[in-house]
């Protein structure tokens, strides 16, 4: 669980605070200078530590000014680097904005909005005294496998019969939790609890839990000849054999009475059959002789919500050593513990799978951020700014700067239909395709036409992309615009007048018509002109009442907003966030803005 700076009680519940000394602290660390838990220390015991508002971050800062993934510290070859993850309000190192990954040195001060930390490298020999270290109290064991292997046993199945006569002499309703009789010997009940408790305390994997339980049952019931556990599986009508045990090591057969199993599963009652050969429902079965069953106990595995997970059954072939009601009481206790163990093991495996998926998504986010430009163009008389934030870990919005050989600079802003991993994969395809067509085609319109033909014939399915290509000529001071169904850019002139630039002919989104030809528009860029390109994550941001932010509100903010282009972009992002209030970000958000300096 990540340390939440704004909630000290959660931190206390989730972390232990040993005294900080050289024996405990053998890694570099951060000291919290400003914020909740000031004076505490955070060990940098991972090769990547992420600051942000999202719960998946290592250090969670629940502040509206903090981006979901705001910044990260990366360790490589013994050195630590701080990097801003394209956050809305930036990250500062020694009071300066971080533009690229910066090497951390002992004593450096990092500021994330209203939070401040100092970096300490233990190679300097500095060990703080009489303070506390924030350290995770435990980590999940990830060695368990989620692959279930079915035992290779020879199973004999006896079908059901409509005759109600049977040798079932006792029933216990497992669902009520009150079926255990007080007459059960205390030492036998204690022995069951200790044996099963010992077996279950060492494993967190279902396939390890079940054999351990059967081993303990054979110690509790010396007369047992066979035992098995059946568990339900999605898409299977009957429960599946997941573990079995025979008293004789050379015997791999398994005798299963489906009649008893089905009744236990259906009613939620534990059943005791003293002599199967006298059970009228088995008399007509041709496989009765092969079953060899004389006395049998079957207890269903029922959760507190009433869900049937399966059954656990024990059988003896010797009628002289039949099971008793006291034995059934013990089996009910065992089944209860078995159910809890299976639930815990299943939950553990699910958590591990989610943890693995979380790590993969975090890695995918890093890969996707690597496709986005790490620096802005350096053109005389021009300033640039940009912002990107995916609605999920990864997204389908895309922007890029492409420097052309003749000194012009192309800006591409695109929005892949949908979001998440599928959209992110297509966004990665765009990265190389846009550059290729811009550098090989004679005009911007031809580049868009070539890009459209590639996307439409790529076999990527019916995923459409809106795209705007703009090329700035810094010598002639004009802009060439081609749009493939994308939202029109907003232009603000020096006097504050705002217009939506539609272009001469807005084409359809990429991927619809393979042979579509696009038209380009050339527009002069006057001194003081500010251009804003954006995706619908801006205009379609919603409040909790599902009111849209809209183009009208965007153009009004641009008209009245800051003159400096970087402040304008940050202002739009803040205004969108304030408008949405507590509503979750529903779509990826991307903006690029530039200005010809007056």
């Amino acid at each position: 669980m990540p340390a939440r700076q704004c909630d000290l009680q959660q931190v206390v519940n989730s972390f232990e605070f040993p005294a900080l000394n050289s024996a405990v602290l053998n890694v570099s660390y951060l000291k919290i200078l400003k914020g909740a838990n000031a004076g505490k220390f955070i060990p940098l015991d991972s090769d990547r530590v992420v600051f942000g508002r999202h719960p998946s971050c290592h250090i969670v800062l629940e502040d509206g000014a903090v981006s979901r993934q705001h910044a990260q510290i990366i360790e490589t070859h013994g050195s630590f680097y701080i990097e801003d993850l394209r956050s809305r309000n930036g990250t500062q190192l020694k009071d300066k904005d971080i533009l690229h990954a910066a090497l951390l040195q002992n004593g450096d001060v990092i500021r994330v909005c209203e939070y401040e930390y100092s970096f300490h490298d233990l190679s300097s020999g500095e060990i703080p005294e009489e303070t506390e270290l924030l350290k995770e109290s435990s980590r999940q064991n990830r060695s368990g496998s989620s692959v279930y292997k079915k035992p290779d046993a020879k199973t004999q199945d006896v079908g059901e019969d409509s005759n109600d006569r049977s040798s079932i002499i006792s029933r216990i309703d497992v669902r009520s939790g009150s079926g255990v009789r007080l007459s059960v010997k205390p030492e036998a009940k204690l022995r069951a609890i200790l044996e099963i408790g010992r077996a279950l305390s060492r494993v967190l994997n279902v396939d390890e839990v079940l054999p351990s339980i059967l081993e303990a049952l054979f110690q509790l019931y010396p007369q047992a000849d066979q035992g098995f556990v059946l568990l339900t599986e999605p898409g299977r009508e009957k429960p599946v054999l997941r573990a079995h045990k025979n008293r004789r090591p050379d015997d791999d057969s398994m005798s299963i009475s489906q009649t008893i199993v089905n009744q236990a599963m259906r009613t939620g009652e534990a059943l005791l059959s003293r002599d199967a050969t006298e059970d009228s429902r088995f008399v007509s079965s041709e496989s009765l002789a092969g079953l060899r069953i004389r006395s049998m106990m079957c207890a269903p595995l029922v959760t507190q919500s009433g869900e049937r997970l399966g059954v656990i059954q024990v059988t003896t072939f010797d009628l002289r050593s039949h099971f008793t009601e006291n034995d059934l009481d013990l089996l009910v206790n065992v089944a209860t513990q078995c159910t809890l163990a299976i639930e815990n093991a299943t939950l553990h495996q699910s958590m591990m799978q989610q943890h693995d998926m979380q790590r993969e998504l975090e890695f995918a986010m890093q890969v996707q951020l690597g496709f986005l430009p790490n620096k802005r163009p350096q053109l005389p008389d021009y300033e640039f700014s940009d912002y990107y934030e995916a609605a999920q870990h990864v997204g389908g919005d895309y922007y890029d700067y492409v420097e052309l050989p003749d000194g012009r600079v192309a800006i591409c802003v695109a929005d892949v239909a949908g979001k998440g991993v599928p959209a992110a994969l297509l966004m990665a395809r765009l990265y190389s395709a846009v550059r290729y067509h811009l550098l090989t085609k004679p005009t911007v319109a031809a580049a868009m036409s070539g890009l459209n033909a590639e996307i439409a014939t790529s076999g990527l399915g019916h995923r459409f992309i809106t795209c705007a290509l703009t090329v700035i000529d810094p010598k002639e001071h004009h802009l060439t615009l081609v749009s493939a169904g994308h939202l029109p850019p907003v232009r603000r002139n020096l006097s504050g007048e705002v217009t939506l630039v539609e272009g001469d002919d807005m084409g359809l989104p990429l991927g619809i018509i393979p042979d579509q030809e696009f038209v380009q528009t050339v527009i002069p860029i006057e001194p003081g002109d500010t251009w804003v390109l954006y995706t619908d994550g801006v205009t379609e941001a919603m409040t909790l009442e599902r009111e849209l932010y809209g183009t009208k509100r965007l153009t009004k903010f641009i008209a009245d907003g800051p003159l400096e282009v970087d402040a304008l972009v940050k202002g739009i992002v803040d205004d969108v966030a304030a408008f949405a209030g507590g509503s979750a970000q529903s779509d990826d958000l991307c903006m690029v803005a530039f200005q010809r300096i007056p």
Side-chain angles (χ1 to χ4, degrees):
M1 179 179 178
R4 297 181 182 271
Q5 298 291 321
C6 61
D7 193 337
L8 178 59
Q9 187 59 48
Q10 291 184 2
V11 175
V12 171
N13 292 338
S14 302
F15 294 85
E16 59 183 12
F17 301 90
L20 183 63
N21 53 54
S22 58
V24 173
L25 186 58
N26 55 8
V27 296
S28 297
Y29 59 92
L30 297 177
K31 180 179 180 181
I32 304 174
L33 301 179
K34 187 176 179 182
N37 305 311
K40 298 293 194 316
F41 291 76
I42 303 174
L44 300 176
D45 54 0
S46 174
D47 56 359
R48 178 170 175 262
V49 176
V50 180
F51 301 76
R53 198 175 70 249
H54 196 275
S56 66
C57 295
H58 302 84
I59 300 176
V60 179
L61 307 174
E62 292 184 341
D63 188 321
V66 178
S67 297
R68 293 192 307 159
Q69 285 88 22
H70 195 104
Q72 66 180 0
I73 293 177
I74 299 176
E75 187 272 333
T76 176
H77 299 96
S79 298
F80 290 83
Y81 295 83
I82 178 72
E83 180 181 11
D84 184 77
L85 297 177
R86 303 180 183 275
S87 64
R88 184 169 72 243
N89 292 309
T91 306
Q92 290 74 41
L93 176 64
K94 295 185 287 190
D95 293 328
K96 293 184 179 180
D97 286 337
I98 299 172
L99 300 179
H100 310 287
L103 177 66
L104 286 172
Q105 298 178 349
N106 192 59
D108 281 353
V109 176
I110 302 167
R111 186 167 72 249
V112 178
C113 296
E114 298 299 322
Y115 304 93
E116 291 187 0
Y117 308 85
S118 60
F119 171 76
H120 296 269
D121 186 351
L122 289 187
S123 62
S124 65
E126 178 185 358
I127 302 294
E129 297 179 357
E130 296 181 357
T131 184
E132 292 174 325
L133 173 70
L134 271 69
K135 185 177 181 183
E136 288 184 285
S137 59
S138 65
R139 295 186 183 272
Q140 297 285 0
N141 176 17
R142 300 185 56 203
S143 62
S145 171
S146 61
V147 178
Y148 300 158
K149 295 183 178 179
K150 300 180 179 64
D152 185 16
K154 301 174 183 176
T155 304
Q156 295 176 327
D157 186 6
V158 177
E160 288 190 68
D161 193 290
S162 59
N163 196 324
D164 289 337
R165 296 176 56 193
S166 77
S167 59
I168 296 176
I169 62 174
S170 183
R171 304 168 185 252
I172 296 178
D173 192 343
V174 178
R175 299 165 296 175
S176 68
S178 60
V180 179
R181 300 177 183 82
L182 298 178
S183 60
V184 177
K185 294 181 180 180
E187 60 271 22
K189 180 182 285 188
L190 178 60
R191 181 183 177 190
I193 294 174
L194 291 177
E195 293 289 344
I196 299 299
R198 185 182 302 116
L200 301 183
S201 64
R202 297 188 294 268
V203 289
L204 277 175
N205 180 275
V206 171
D207 290 327
E208 295 178 6
V209 166
L210 303 182
S212 300
I213 292 173
L214 290 178
E215 186 66 36
L217 286 177
F218 270 56
Q219 295 179 21
L220 292 173
Y221 304 121
Q223 71 272 44
D225 291 303
Q226 284 187 348
F228 62 82
V229 179
L230 302 178
L231 295 183
T232 57
E233 289 187 359
R236 305 289 290 269
E237 293 184 3
K238 296 181 179 180
V240 178
L241 182 65
R242 292 291 297 274
H244 73 291
K245 181 176 176 61
N246 284 287
R247 179 71 66 181
R248 293 174 52 187
D250 58 341
D251 186 0
D252 193 39
S253 64
M254 186 55 49
S255 304
I256 299 177
S257 170
Q258 198 65 45
T259 300
I260 300 296
V261 169
N262 289 345
Q263 185 168 344
M265 290 280 290
R266 184 177 62 254
T267 64
E269 296 176 338
L271 309 175
L272 169 64
S273 179
R274 184 184 297 273
D275 186 356
T277 60
E278 295 181 359
D279 193 321
S280 60
R281 291 179 293 182
F282 301 154
V283 170
S284 60
S285 175
E286 295 180 355
S287 60
L288 180 61
L291 283 175
R292 299 178 294 164
I293 298 175
R294 300 306 297 258
S295 184
M296 173 197 302
M297 294 187 300
C298 183
L301 306 175
V302 185
T303 66
Q304 291 185 350
S305 63
E307 180 185 1
R308 274 67 160 173
L309 301 182
V311 298
I312 184 169
Q313 184 168 305
V314 182
T315 301
T316 181
F317 302 147
D318 188 352
L319 189 58
R320 295 170 299 178
S321 303
H322 61 78
F323 297 112
T324 66
E325 294 184 2
N326 285 343
D327 295 327
L328 187 62
D329 284 307
L330 287 176
L331 187 62
V332 168
N333 281 275
V334 172
T336 301
Q337 295 188 59
C338 182
T339 301
L340 181 60
I342 293 173
E343 286 186 296
N344 289 340
T346 303
L347 178 61
H348 173 74
Q349 291 175 350
S350 176
M351 290 176 61
M352 290 301 97
Q353 292 172 355
Q354 292 180 8
H355 180 70
D356 289 344
M357 182 177 295
Q358 181 74 20
R359 287 176 60 89
E360 291 175 0
L361 287 174
E362 289 180 0
F363 177 73
M365 180 187 71
Q366 292 300 305
V367 171
Q368 185 177 42
L369 290 177
F371 284 114
L372 300 178
N374 56 15
K375 64 178 181 179
R376 297 166 183 170
Q378 301 295 319
L379 288 181
D381 302 325
Y382 286 86
E383 289 184 349
F384 295 82
S385 183
D386 48 62
Y387 180 82
Y388 176 89
E389 185 171 10
Q392 302 175 5
H393 280 82
V394 291
D397 281 9
Y398 160 78
Y399 78 95
D400 198 6
Y401 304 112
V402 183
E403 296 182 3
L404 302 178
D406 58 3
R408 295 179 301 157
V409 172
I411 302 173
C412 179
V413 176
D415 184 0
V416 179
K419 50 183 176 291
V421 174
L425 292 174
L426 191 49
M427 174 271 204
R429 174 72 176 267
L430 276 177
Y431 174 79
S432 59
V434 167
R435 289 172 171 262
Y436 171 77
H437 291 286
L438 280 171
L439 293 171
T440 58
K441 297 298 189 295
T443 66
V444 184
M448 185 72 89
S449 297
L451 180 62
N452 173 68
E454 178 177 338
I455 296 300
T457 59
S458 62
L460 296 175
H462 299 288
R463 285 194 172 272
F464 309 131
I465 305 169
T466 66
C467 180
L469 280 179
T470 59
V471 177
I472 300 172
D473 188 331
K475 296 178 182 179
E476 301 295 331
H477 295 297
H478 62 66
L479 176 146
T480 303
L481 170 66
V482 180
S483 177
H486 199 77
L487 295 170
V490 179
R491 178 179 60 182
R492 181 184 68 187
N493 61 23
L494 190 59
S495 63
E497 181 183 357
V498 172
T499 56
L500 293 175
V501 183
E502 299 284 354
D504 294 336
D505 185 8
M506 179 182 291
L508 295 174
L510 302 177
I512 297 179
I513 302 177
D515 57 354
Q516 180 180 190
E517 296 295 331
F518 291 86
V519 177
Q520 63 188 37
T521 304
V522 179
I523 305 169
I525 306 175
E526 303 296 338
D529 277 0
T530 300
W531 287 71
V532 179
L533 295 89
Y534 54 95
T535 61
D536 58 9
V538 177
T539 54
E540 294 183 5
M542 292 185 185
T543 64
L544 292 173
E545 293 76 24
R546 304 191 67 80
E547 178 186 357
L548 290 176
Y549 184 82
T551 304
K552 184 177 181 180
R553 186 183 180 101
L554 174 63
T555 54
K556 184 178 186 307
F557 185 91
I558 293 175
D560 302 334
L563 297 179
E564 195 267 329
V565 65
D566 200 44
L568 177 63
V569 169
K570 290 184 178 180
I572 294 173
V573 173
D574 290 339
D575 192 55
V576 170
F579 173 81
S583 179
Q585 182 178 337
S586 59
D587 200 358
D588 306 328
L589 195 153
C590 176
M591 274 191 296
V592 176
F594 67 90
Q595 180 185 81
R596 181 181 174 186
I597 301 172

